[in-house]
Every structure is written in C-alpha cells, then in structure tokens.
Amino acid sequence: MLELRNVSLNLDGTNGAGKEILRNVNLKLERGKLYAITGPNGGGKTSLAKVIMGIYTPSEGQVLLDGEDITCLGITERAHRGIAYGFQQPPRFKGLLVEEIMKIARPNLDTVQLRGYLRDVGLCPEDYLDRDLGPGLSGGEIKRIEVAQLLARNAPVTILDEPEAGVDLWTIQKLISIITKRYKGNSQGIAIVITHNEQFLPVCDEIILLAEGSVQERGTPEQIWPLIRDDIVCKMKGQCGGSVYGVQ
Amino acid sequence: MEFSKLEKDLLAAVADLHTLPQGAINIRKDGQAVLRRSSPNIEVIGKADRPGIDIIVKPGTTNEAVHVPVILTNSGFKDLVYNTFVIGEGADVLVVAGCGIHNQGTGVSRHDGVHEIIVKKGARMRYVEKHYGEGGPDGKRILNPSTVITVEEGAYAEMEMVQIKGVDDTRRTTTAYVYDQGNLKIIEKLLTHGNQEAESEIEINLVGTDSTAQVISRSVAQDGSRQEFKAALIGKERCNGHVECDAIIMGNAQIRSVPELVAESAEAILTHEAAIGKIAGEQLIKLMSLGLTEKEAVDTILSGFLR
Ligand SMILES: Nc1ncnc2c1ncn2[C@@H]1O[C@H](COP(=O)(O)OP(=O)(O)OP(=O)(O)O)[C@@H](O)[C@H]1O
Ligand SMILES: [Mg+2]
C-alpha cells in the first residue's frame, strides 16, 4: 500500500514568497488497483506525483510504502523500491539514444522486448531505436518514448502523468488495455494515471479529484464522472454566457 | 616491431589500434618513426629538411586508410613535427591521426604538430584525431596542433577532433580554405577537468562559389578547467556556413565562446549558434527516477553529449 499522510507542500513562488501547492493530502492507495487522478490545471496533480517519486520533499506529512516511511528517501532509492514516474514533460537529452534510455529503464531488456514496448506506444522500432533524444524529436514522440520506458520498467508502483498528451486515439486505446491488464487485480502493483481522458477515466477503479492542492472527491467512476461533467458544464456556462457546445 | 603494453594501450586510445592494421602507417614515438610503411596507393615518405612525413594518396584511391599516430612516453620530451597530406583527385580515404602522451615523471611532455592537408578536386577524406594523456600528477602533458586544410573544387573533408581528459594544455588552430562546391565539416569534442586549459581557434575561408562548411563543437568543462573556443566563418562568395557550439559547464570551470561571421558577398549565408549551460536538473531527476545515482546520471548525460 502507498499512503500519503497529511502531506503539504510549499514551494517558492515567483516573488520568493512560499506558495502552498498541496494542502493536507491524505490518500491510501492499495495494490491491485488502477487509480486516476484528475482535476483542473494547476490543481497539484504533477506535484503530488513528484512528492511520491521523491522529486519534491513535502513540507509536512509522510509518504509510506507498505508501512515503511520513505519520506526521507531520495529519488534513486525510491526507484529501487519500485516507484516509477513518467513525466508530463519529459526532458530531452542530446546524444542519448532511444535504445539507451530504454535499457537504463530496464537494464536486462532484450531486443525483442524493447521493440515490443516501442510498438506498444505506436512507434516503429526500426525508425526510433537509434534516434537521439535531443531536439529532433517531436513532443508526441518524446512523450511516447517516455511511456515506453515506464512500460519496460514494469514497476510495482507506476505513475503516468497525462500519457494521452500528444498520443493518438488508437495508441491511447492500446495503452489503456496494457495498463488495465497489468495492474487491475495484480496484487503486486499499483498504477496511478494522471489523466483528463474520457476513455481512461471510466476504466479506473477509482478516480481522485484534486483541485487547489487538496483531494476534493474520491470514488468510483460512476460516482465521480457525473460530478466532473457537471462541473465542466457549470464552468463553461459561467465563462461562455450560457452556450455550451458538445456537452450535454 | 614489438610494442610494450604501455605503447599498445596508448595506440589503442588514440587510433583504435588494437592490432597493427593493413596498409599505410607511420608510428612516431618520442620523436622517431618506429614503424613506417607505404601501401601501393598511399606513400609515406620522411621529410628531408625537417622532422615529419609526407603522405601522398594516389588519385582515385578508395576504401583505404592511413594511420599516423604519435606517442610520447619519455617524461619531459618535446616533439615538433611537420606532416603534409595530399589526397589525390577522386580518392576516398580515412586518415587516423592522434597523439597519446604517457608522462609518469615530473617534466613537461609536449607535442606540437603542424599539419598541412590538401584534399584535391572531387576527393573525400575523413580525418580523425584523438588526444589522450595519462600518467602521474606531477608531469604535464601539452598538445598544440595546428592545421591548414585546403578543400579543392567539389571535394569533401570531415575532421573529427576529440580530446577527452588527460591533456593539461591544448592550443589548437585550424585554418581552412574551401573552394567551389567544396564541403568541410569539423567536429570537435572536448572534455577538460582539474586545472586543464584548452583553446581552439578555427578560421574557415569560404573562398569558392557554393562552398559549404559546418562546425559542430561539443564540450564539457569540469572542476577548475578553462576553455576558449573561437570560430570564424569568412564568406567571400556565394556560400553557406554554420557553426554550432554547445557546452556544458560544471564546478568552477570557465568557458568563453567567441563567434565571428564575416560576409564579403551578399550571397553568403552564415549562421552561428552557441549555448553554454549546466546540466539541467530535470535531466538528472529523470535519470535518477529510472534508478541511476546522481553520479551515474551525470556520466550518462556527458557521454551521450560527447558521443
Ligand atoms: N517548482 C515549482 N515552483 C513553484 N511553483 C510550482 C512548482 N511546481 C508547481 N508549481 C505550482 O504548483 C501548482 C500546481 O502545479 P502542478 O504542476 O502540480 O499542477 P497540475 O495539476 O499537474 O496541472 P496541469 O493539469 O496543468 O498539469 C501550480 O500553480 C504551479 O504553478
Ligand atoms: Mg501536471
């Protein structure tokens, strides 16, 4: 089980003043389940993932993995404990090849598996294995390669940050089926997908709605999806003076 | 010719020579040619008036390589050599140069190489030069190559110059003249650490119509090392030139990058891109999230960058 206890996060704002990013977050995430985290831009989803990965240290509270307090562990140690995070905006590396980063993600990967993971995210291995992870790749390509690394790692705790961004509908469908097959009912694994995707949300075991740095709602897709939809309708009505297109 | 383990290691480091290759070769050790051999198409001749050799590649020679590594093993030895390369019309060859210094003593070991390269009409040459130094902390290892290269009409030359650690002081000058439809590509890769200093000055004269040149410099300066990179492109006719230098700075190092573009024709297109910066935190975090330690992450980023 992955547990966040009273986690708060303050980061320096632009003018040097402390800014509250996460406020008193309490979450217990069980193995065998697929979770979605959703919510408005700037709500704190990525920050929460970074707290779990050890990239941000919470100002207050603890992170526990199977009862062990890992709040003070660094990123590398958490990676070794089986936590993996797929970046929302993956950095680029001049000179590092796709094949190399895949093998860093999963050192004993053989060529057949490697090609398989690239195909899983809709990339043709022949065209990509020896591509450089520098500025020559498109945003969608770099994003797919990021997701491929996470698939290759196959970590017990996998967090994907908006995997749908820059990825086409067919690939999303495939990704959803891979993730659900792997993590739903798998007593070893927890998958957390930060997503706004209408196809992804309904298949998750639970949806966590995060806004303004705290958990607003949490429940099954049947419970949460209507709330999200109503909220969208409300906001759009407010913004566009009553006319809503495409949302009933 | 039998080489010691030390000599073999140096040769492997600078010229990838794990076994003695076929074909033309000249191995210079502490100021003496210890092995010299010509091939039917590539002549290697000692200069009569001063130290050094002439390498003459017959027109039309293809798929051949010539190896001309230099090694220094006597601490305090100062070597000065003049080499001339003439790549005949229509030839297509690989030249492997390079210098390795082993200095276990306290003296200053130094090699100054003065090279003249002429790539004749329509010929193609790839030139690879690696610098390598090793030995104790008290000795100094200095390398100062200076090269003048002429790329004739329709010829192509690619020069790859690599220096990764071990050399305390380098001053490199490269001057080039590129004629009609000639094409020159220079790739420099440099890593300095400790108190090392490295300077590279490149001047490319695009003298012919439709001549092109490209300079790609990738460097890493660590610890208290200092680097200076000057690249001048001088376009005299309708031509196209591009310089790209990218540097990673670490510790207390200093890097100076000085671009110069001179257009003497309205048809000259010259561009320059330069960037100096430290390793991005996001890059380290990303690799650490895949399980690498911070040090492993740095090494991975640098070796990719200098590939
Ligand atoms: N390193 C940082 N320094 C300062 N502020 C930050 C930092 N990281 C995030 N923030 C701020 O924290 C808030 C939450 O950001 P976060 O990236 O977690 O949101 P998000 O829910 O992932 O948004 P999105 O849907 O746009 O990805 C934002 O207001 C953001 O500007
Ligand atoms: Mg985000």
Side-chain angles (χ1 to χ4, degrees):
Chain A
M1 187 168 67
L2 178 69
E3 188 181 350
L4 280 85
R5 266 190 210 157
N6 302 317
V7 166
S8 294
L9 175 69
N10 296 307
L11 292 173
D12 290 338
T14 37
N15 46 13
K19 189 181 169 209
E20 194 173 53
I21 312 287
L22 294 173
R23 185 161 24 102
N24 201 26
V25 173
N26 284 287
L27 275 180
K28 284 186 183 171
L29 306 178
E30 289 163 40
R31 294 201 187 256
K33 284 197 173 168
L34 170 56
Y35 295 90
I37 300 181
T38 194
N41 295 139
K45 303 177 295 295
T46 296
S47 304
L48 185 72
K50 288 186 172 176
V51 165
I52 297 170
M53 189 70 240
I55 298 168
Y56 290 158
T57 311
S59 328
E60 270 173 73
Q62 286 104 40
V63 182
L64 294 98
L65 184 62
D66 301 321
E68 184 198 4
D69 188 339
I70 59 164
T71 319
C72 298
L73 293 188
I75 303 168
T76 309
E77 288 159 303
R78 293 193 203 197
H80 291 162
R81 292 277 200 292
I83 301 177
Y85 170 59
F87 283 51
Q88 183 174 2
Q89 280 166 330
R92 291 164 187 273
F93 296 87
K94 276 191 185 160
L96 197 63
L97 308 182
V98 171
E99 176 166 5
E100 290 171 326
I101 201 154
M102 290 292 288
K103 286 187 170 159
I104 293 170
R106 176 87 174 274
N108 53 0
L109 200 63
D110 68 41
T111 323
V112 176
Q113 294 169 316
L114 175 62
R115 288 164 173 269
Y117 291 124
L118 289 176
R119 261 188 236 108
D120 284 344
V121 296
L123 296 174
C124 173
E126 285 68 31
D127 298 342
Y128 286 92
L129 275 175
D130 55 2
R131 285 286 294 272
D132 179 312
L133 289 161
L137 288 173
S138 78
E141 287 168 331
I142 201 111
K143 189 73 196 194
R144 288 160 189 237
I145 293 161
E146 180 77 6
V147 175
Q149 290 161 46
L150 272 267
L151 292 180
R153 276 204 74 192
N154 197 8
V157 178
T158 289
I159 312 168
L160 288 169
D161 200 341
E162 301 195 17
E164 71 267 23
V167 175
D168 58 56
L169 292 172
W170 295 272
T171 309
I172 267 291
Q173 209 52 59
K174 196 166 183 182
L175 195 61
I176 292 171
S177 84
I178 294 171
I179 300 276
T180 47
K181 221 179 278 163
R182 249 197 213 175
Y183 288 93
K184 269 196 164 183
N186 165 1
S187 62
Q188 300 303 307
I190 304 176
I192 304 164
V193 182
I194 299 172
T195 183
H196 305 289
N197 187 274
E198 289 166 39
Q199 289 171 286
F200 232 129
L201 287 169
V203 303
C204 295
D205 294 300
E206 267 193 50
I207 300 177
I208 295 156
L209 181 61
L210 194 71
E212 289 166 11
S214 49
V215 177
Q216 307 288 334
E217 300 286 347
R218 176 178 176 173
T220 62
E222 292 74 28
Q223 294 167 324
I224 302 295
W225 183 237
L227 296 174
I228 300 172
R229 205 179 44 201
D230 293 349
D231 197 43
I232 296 171
V233 174
C234 276
K235 281 222 175 87
M236 286 181 82
K237 278 191 172 149
Q239 284 165 6
C240 335
S243 55
V244 178
Y245 299 99
V247 186
Q248 279 112 44
Chain B
M1 175 77 213
E2 273 301 302
F3 288 100
S4 68
K5 162 103 176 62
L6 169 77
E7 292 162 353
K8 282 182 183 160
D9 288 348
L10 284 177
L11 288 169
V14 297
D16 289 321
L17 287 184
H18 302 281
T19 53
L20 282 183
Q22 299 291 310
I25 187 164
N26 188 84
I27 298 179
R28 182 180 176 89
K29 179 182 163 242
D30 297 317
Q32 299 292 324
V34 292
L35 176 68
R36 177 172 299 161
R37 187 175 65 210
S38 298
S39 77
N41 295 321
I42 303 177
E43 256 190 298
V44 184
I45 320 153
K47 280 191 193 295
D49 54 339
R50 50 191 179 172
I53 46 174
D54 290 335
I55 292 113
I56 315 289
V57 177
K58 276 194 194 154
T61 304
T62 56
N63 285 323
E64 269 200 59
V66 53
H67 291 79
V68 289
V70 172
I71 55 177
L72 265 62
T73 57
N74 276 347
S75 180
F77 190 81
K78 289 180 187 56
D79 191 21
L80 170 66
V81 65
Y82 299 86
N83 292 335
T84 304
F85 300 79
V86 181
I87 314 297
E89 284 185 23
D92 185 352
V93 292
L94 169 69
V95 177
V96 183
C99 180
I101 304 180
H102 176 90
N103 183 356
Q104 201 53 62
T106 54
V108 173
S109 298
R110 169 172 168 168
H111 174 78
D112 291 356
V114 182
H115 307 287
E116 187 186 2
I117 304 174
I118 300 160
V119 186
K120 295 278 190 188
K121 280 182 192 165
R124 295 175 67 86
M125 176 199 69
R126 202 166 100 82
Y127 177 95
V128 183
E129 182 183 292
K130 284 188 192 162
H131 285 175
Y132 173 73
E134 60 174 31
D138 302 323
K140 270 205 140 213
R141 291 157 287 267
I142 300 179
L143 279 167
N144 296 330
S146 77
T147 306
V148 177
I149 176 167
T150 303
V151 180
E152 290 191 354
E153 289 79 358
Y156 171 78
E158 181 178 318
M159 303 178 76
E160 183 173 332
M161 307 185 282
V162 183
Q163 179 179 311
I164 308 292
K165 294 193 172 179
V167 178
D168 296 295
D169 206 288
T170 330
R171 251 152 266 273
R172 179 197 289 285
T173 62
T174 310
T175 309
Y177 298 89
V178 187
Y179 289 87
D180 294 4
Q181 288 166 10
N183 180 349
L184 172 66
K185 182 172 179 180
I186 295 180
I187 302 162
E188 271 203 335
K189 294 175 192 175
L190 174 67
L191 185 146
T192 53
H193 63 130
N195 293 316
Q196 295 174 350
E197 292 196 19
E199 234 181 76
S200 175
E201 201 172 333
I202 297 175
E203 181 192 296
I204 300 179
N205 296 279
L206 292 160
V207 289
T209 306
D210 294 327
S211 54
T212 56
Q214 191 185 3
V215 178
I216 299 169
S217 160
R218 293 262 174 102
S219 73
V220 177
Q222 298 180 319
D223 308 325
S225 63
R226 288 195 304 188
Q227 299 181 0
E228 182 163 333
F229 181 76
K230 286 187 193 163
L233 290 179
I234 300 153
K236 296 187 186 280
E237 288 293 338
R238 186 171 74 205
C239 63
N240 208 314
H242 180 63
V243 178
E244 193 179 307
C245 41
D246 231 322
I248 293 179
I249 183 162
M250 300 169 75
N252 300 312
Q254 285 181 25
I255 302 177
R256 221 175 118 88
S257 179
V258 189
E260 189 182 355
L261 303 178
V262 183
E264 294 175 5
S265 156
E267 302 285 332
I269 301 172
L270 306 172
T271 51
H272 184 279
E273 260 178 82
I276 302 175
K278 61 177 186 185
I279 294 179
E282 279 281 292
Q283 292 182 321
L284 291 174
I285 288 169
K286 165 67 207 173
L287 294 181
M288 287 162 73
S289 78
L290 295 177
L292 299 191
T293 62
E294 186 170 345
K295 183 168 181 314
E296 288 167 341
V298 168
D299 290 347
T300 302
I301 292 166
L302 297 186
S303 68
F305 182 72
L306 292 173
R307 173 193 310 279

